[in-house]
C-alpha cells in the first residue's frame, strides 16, 4: 500500500507585537500580562493589521516561490472554545496571502519538490491552563492574537522520512529569513499531519489528521504509527474514517479525538472589521531585494565553489548563523574551506553541544577560532596541540597566539632540532632498525612514536617521517 501525507504547519511570525493589537508577543510572561482589550475581544475594539507580519509573510512567500496575492481577505472562523474570547478566530479562507510555491527536499540521493497549496495569515488562540490535579483551570490569553502563518502542503509527501525532511527544510528557511524563531518547545513551529493510505492505482484514501505534533521525532513516529494502523485496518477488511487524532508520545500511538460527525462548521465569512489586504508592488519589491542567499543556493555554492562534501555543505547550511560563522572562520584564517569546515563542524559544534549553547551564545568567536585554524594551516600546531589550544580558548577570551605562547605549544619542524632526536632514536633501537631495513615498513610508525615521546608531542610528524626515511634508507 502507498502512503500519502499532507502537512499543515503553523509558523509563529517573529514580530514584537500581535497581529491585530499592540500587545507584546514575548514568550513566558505572567498569564494575561500581555493581553490587551483587543486580544480579550472586548466590545468596541477594532483589529489593526500589523505591517511587520505582512512583510514576513511576503518574505517567506518569495523564498518559497509562491504567488504573493495582491489582494487577500481576512475571514472569521467561528467556533466556541474558552480560549477564544471573540468566539471566532481571524484567519484567511478563500483568499490567502500566498498561493502555491514549494519546498525542495532531499532524502538520500533523491531530490523532490513538495508543492504547497497556500499559506494564510491568522491569529493564534489563547490557552487553557490546568492545575496538576485538573481541579482548577484558567485561561491565559498571552498567546491570543500572536501572528501565525499556516503553510499547507499538497498531499504529495509519501513517507514519514519525506515529511521530516520537508519540515526540517521549512524550519531552516523560516529561521534563516528571520520569519520565525522556530522554537518548537515554545510552539513557534507546530504541525498537523494528514495521513491516508491506498493501493497502487487507486485514488487518494480517506485521511486522518494528527493534531499538533511539536518535534521532528514525534512527527516521524506519529506518521509511521498512523500509516501502519490504517494498513492493518484496511487489510483486515475495515475502513479508515475521516477524523482528528492525537499522538500520545508516551505510548507511541495515535488516538481518536473527534470524528467527522463532530467536525466544526466554522461558518466562515469575510471579517467586516478588516479591509482586504492590498499589497503594494513596492513593498514586495523591497522584500525581494533584501532576500539573503537562500540555504539551498548556499549549500550548492559550498559544494561547487568551495569543494565541500554534500554532507558538510548540508550541515553548514542548516543554520544561517552557523554558515555565517563558517565563512568568518575562512576569512580570519585564510585556510582552505575543508579545514575550516572540519573545525567548525566537529570541534566548535561539539563543544557548543556539550555546553548546550547555540552558535550565537558561543564564548568563542569565529575570528578567534580563525586565528587557531591559521596556526594549524601554517604547520605551527599539530592537530593534537590545536585541540589542546581549542579547549583552552573555547571558554576564555585569549587569542590563539596567546594560548600557544602560554601553553608552550609549538610544533618543531626545524630539521636541525629534530635531526638530533632522529639520530638518538636510531642508535637506541638497533634491532628495530635492522628489521626496518629488512623490509618491515610498519616500524616507521614506531620510530615516529619514539620521537613524539622524546619531544613531548611537539615534533612535526610529517617532518619527522621525512628525516627518518632519509637516515634509515
Ligand atoms: P482541512 O482544511 O479540512 O484540514 P484541506 O483540504 O485544506 O482540509 O487539507 C488539509 C491538508 O490535508 C493538506 O495539507 C492536504 O494536502 C492534506 N490532504 C488532503 N487530502 C488528503 C489525503 N487524502 N491524504 C493525505 N493528506 C491529504
Ligand atoms: Mg486541517
Amino acid at each position: 500500500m502507498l502512503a500519502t501525507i499532507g502537512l499543515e504547519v503553523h509558523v509563529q511570525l517573529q514580530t514584537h507585537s500581535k497581529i491585530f493589537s499592540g500587545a507584546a508577543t514575548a514568550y513566558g510572561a505572567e498569564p494575561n500580562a500581555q493581553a490587551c482589550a483587543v486580544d480579550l475581544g472586548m466590545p468596541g475594539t477594532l483589529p489593526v493589521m500589523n505591517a511587520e507580519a505582512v512583510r514576513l509573510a511576503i518574505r517567506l512567500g518569495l523564498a518559497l516561490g509562491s504567488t504573493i496575492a495582491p489582494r487577500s481577505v481576512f475571514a472569521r472562523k467561528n467556533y466556541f472554545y474558552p480560549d477564544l474570547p471573540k468566539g471566532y478566530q481571524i484567519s484567511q479562507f478563500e483568499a490567502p496571502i500566498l498561493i502555491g510555491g514549494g519546498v525542495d527536499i532531499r532524502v538520500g540521493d533523491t531530490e523532490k519538490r513538495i508543492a504547497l497549496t497556500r499559506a494564510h495569515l491568522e491569529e493564534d488562540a489563547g490557552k487553557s491552563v490546568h492545575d496538576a490535579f485538573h481541579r482548577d483551570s484558567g485561561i491565559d490569553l498571552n498567546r491570543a492574537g500572536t501572528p501565525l502563518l499556516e503553510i499547507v502542503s499538497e498531499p504529495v509527501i509519501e513517507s514519514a522520512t519525506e515529511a521530516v525532511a520537508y519540515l526540517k527544510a521549512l524550519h531552516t528557511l523560516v529561521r534563516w529569513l528571520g520569519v520565525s524563531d522556530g522554537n518548537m518547545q515554545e510552539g513557534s513551529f507546530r504541525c498537523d499531519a494528514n495521513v491516508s493510505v491506498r493501493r497502487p492505482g487507486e485514488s487518494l484514501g480517506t485521511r486522518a489528521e494528527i493534531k499538533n505534533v511539536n518535534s521532528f521525532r514525534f512527527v516521524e513516529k506519529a506518521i509511521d504509527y498512523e500509516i501502519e494502523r490504517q494498513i492493518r485496518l484496511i487489510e483486515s477488511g475495515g475502513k479508515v474514517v475521516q477524523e482528528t487524532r492525537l499522538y500520545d508520545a508516551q505510548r507511541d500511538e495515535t488516538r481518536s479525538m473527534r470524528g467527522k460527525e463532530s467536525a466544526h462548521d466554522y461558518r466562515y465569512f469575510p471579517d467586516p472589521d478588516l479591509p482586504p489586504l492590498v499589497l503594494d508592488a513596492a513593498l514586495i519589491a523591497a522584500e525581494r531585494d533584501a532576500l539573503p542567499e537562500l540555504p539551498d543556493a548556499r549549500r550548492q555554492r559550498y559544494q561547487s565553489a568551495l569543494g565541500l562534501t554534500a554532507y558538510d555543505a548540508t550541515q553548514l547550511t542548516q543554520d544561517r548563523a552557523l554558515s555565517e560563522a563558517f565563512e568568518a572562520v575562512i576569512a580570519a584564517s585564510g585556510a582552505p574551506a575543508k579545514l575550516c569546515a572540519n573545525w567548525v563542524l566537529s570541534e566548535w559544534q561539539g563543544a557548543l553541544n556539550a555546553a548546550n549553547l547555540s552558535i550565537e551564545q558561543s564564548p568563542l568567536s569565529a575570528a578567534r577560532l580563525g586565528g587557531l585554524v591559521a596556526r594549524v594551516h601554517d604547520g605551527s600546531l599539530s592537530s593534537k596541540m590545536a585541540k589542546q589550544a581549542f579547549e583552552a580558548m573555547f571558554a576564555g577570551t585569549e587569542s590563539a597566539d596567546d594560548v600557544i605562547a602560554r601553553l608552550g605549544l609549538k610544533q618543531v619542524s626545524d630539521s636541525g632540532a629534530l635531526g638530533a632526536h632522529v639520530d638518538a632514536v636510531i642508535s637506541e633501537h638497533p634491532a628495530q632498525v635492522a628489521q626496518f631495513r629488512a623490509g618491515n615498513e610498519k616500524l616507521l610508525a614506531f620510530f615516529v612514536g619514539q620521537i613524539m615521546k622524546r619531544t613531548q608531542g611537539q615534533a612535526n610528524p610529517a617532518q619527522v617521517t621525512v628525516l627518518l626515511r632519509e637516515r634509515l634508507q
Side-chain angles (χ1 to χ4, degrees), residues 8 10 77 150 152 192 194 207 209 211:
E8 295 163 275
H10 285 93
K77 179 178 180 178
E150 177 175 337
V152 182
D192 301 339
N194 296 270
R207 71 186 151 116
E209 179 177 24
K211 274 283 174 202

Side-chain angles (χ1 to χ4, degrees), residues 202-244:
E202 288 177 358
S203 54
L204 291 188
T206 305
R207 71 186 151 116
E209 179 177 24
I210 313 165
K211 274 283 174 202
N212 257 331
V213 202
N214 66 351
S215 89
F216 296 127
R217 204 166 64 88
F218 289 161
V219 171
E220 182 157 24
K221 291 180 134 201
I223 292 174
D224 274 334
Y225 175 90
E226 185 56 23
I227 292 172
E228 275 303 305
R229 184 190 73 86
Q230 293 185 11
I231 292 177
R232 271 200 313 269
L233 187 63
I234 290 172
E235 287 183 342
S236 63
K239 262 199 163 135
V240 175
V241 292
Q242 187 169 338
E243 62 180 352
T244 304

Side-chain angles (χ1 to χ4, degrees), residues 243-308:
E243 62 180 352
T244 304
R245 299 178 71 85
L246 268 189
Y247 178 65
D248 179 339
Q250 248 150 31
R251 297 163 71 168
D252 186 24
E253 62 180 33
T254 63
R255 272 203 306 276
S256 183
M257 190 170 124
R258 57 170 186 260
K260 201 185 181 178
E261 325 73 75
S262 55
H264 294 290
D265 171 6
Y266 293 119
R267 296 174 289 117
Y268 280 101
F269 62 88
D271 192 316
D273 288 343
L274 284 156
L277 179 59
V278 177
L279 300 180
D280 189 27
L283 179 68
I284 299 173
E287 280 301 327
R288 181 176 281 122
D289 291 344
L291 270 190
E293 182 182 30
L294 298 179
D296 273 335
R298 189 168 288 183
R299 175 179 53 77
Q300 283 163 22
R301 176 167 68 81
Y302 283 180
Q303 286 182 249
S304 60
L306 300 183
L308 295 188

Side-chain angles (χ1 to χ4, degrees), residues 166 214 284 365 431 454:
Y166 166 81
N214 66 351
I284 299 173
S365 67
R454 290 176 63 100

